[in-house]
Amino acid sequence: MVLTEVSERFEPDSALYLEDGRSMTVEDARPDRRWLLVKFRELADRTAAERLQGAYLFVDAAAVADVPEGSYWPHQLEGCEVLTEDGRSLGVITEVVLGVANDICVARSGEDEVLIPALKDVVVSVDLDARRVVVREMPGLTVPDSG
């Protein structure tokens, strides 16, 4: 499955990286139904390629495009602490679930989990330098529903 909208990432001689940091050089790529078949110079044969099936490929941070003001890449938000406007910690963002209507930030604190919709009515501010996201108190979301 292709998770990028930047098709140039798979042009010959492009560098991609595995999670362990190993560099992979695209030799060739072609679509096949809903998949993209990619051949890498570093993989000698199909058996070597099959060992990487399901692995994620990454690009160098310098190759990541800037996003519009007020938008963030999921990896930028992961690890940020989520606080309510009055300073109560809801946990740390451990993942961002991409949605059709809006994305959802998953904040965890121990066994507790809070799902925070990435909406302007909910998210008050994002400070990437301070690794902090401030959200509004919302019954049923950040505080138990009193009904």
Side-chain angles (χ1 to χ4, degrees):
M1 174 178 3
V2 180
L3 300 176
T4 182
E5 296 175 5
V6 183
S7 60
E8 293 82 19
R9 301 225 190 278
F10 298 101
E11 288 183 355
D13 298 323
S14 295
L16 298 169
Y17 301 89
L18 294 168
E19 264 185 291
D20 64 9
R22 283 186 289 160
S23 177
M24 306 295 287
T25 308
V26 175
E27 187 170 308
D28 190 30
R30 67 180 170 84
D32 181 55
R33 293 177 293 250
R34 61 184 190 114
W35 302 99
L36 182 67
L37 301 179
V38 182
K39 181 177 181 186
F40 294 102
R41 288 196 184 114
E42 293 78 6
L43 301 177
D45 54 34
R46 184 179 183 140
T47 302
E50 286 174 345
R51 282 190 284 250
L52 296 178
Q53 185 174 356
Y56 284 98
L57 295 167
F58 300 90
V59 297
D60 188 87
V64 175
D66 291 331
V67 293
E69 176 90 23
S71 297
Y72 306 93
W73 291 110
H75 73 272
Q76 293 176 301
L77 297 173
E78 291 170 359
C80 288
E81 182 178 16
V82 178
L83 302 164
T84 61
E85 289 177 291
D86 65 1
R88 186 170 56 90
S89 178
L90 298 177
V92 173
I93 297 174
T94 57
E95 69 178 304
V96 177
V97 179
L98 304 180
V100 177
N102 58 272
D103 298 340
I104 304 288
C105 294
V106 180
R108 290 194 174 95
S109 177
E111 297 293 317
D112 295 329
E113 179 178 272
V114 178
L115 303 178
I116 301 153
L119 298 170
K120 290 180 182 181
D121 290 345
V122 177
V123 179
V124 175
S125 66
V126 175
D127 184 341
L128 293 179
D129 292 332
R131 309 295 296 146
R132 182 177 31 245
V133 174
V134 177
V135 298
R136 286 190 172 78
E137 289 279 6
M138 309 232 8
L141 179 67
T142 61
V143 291
D145 224 346
S146 58

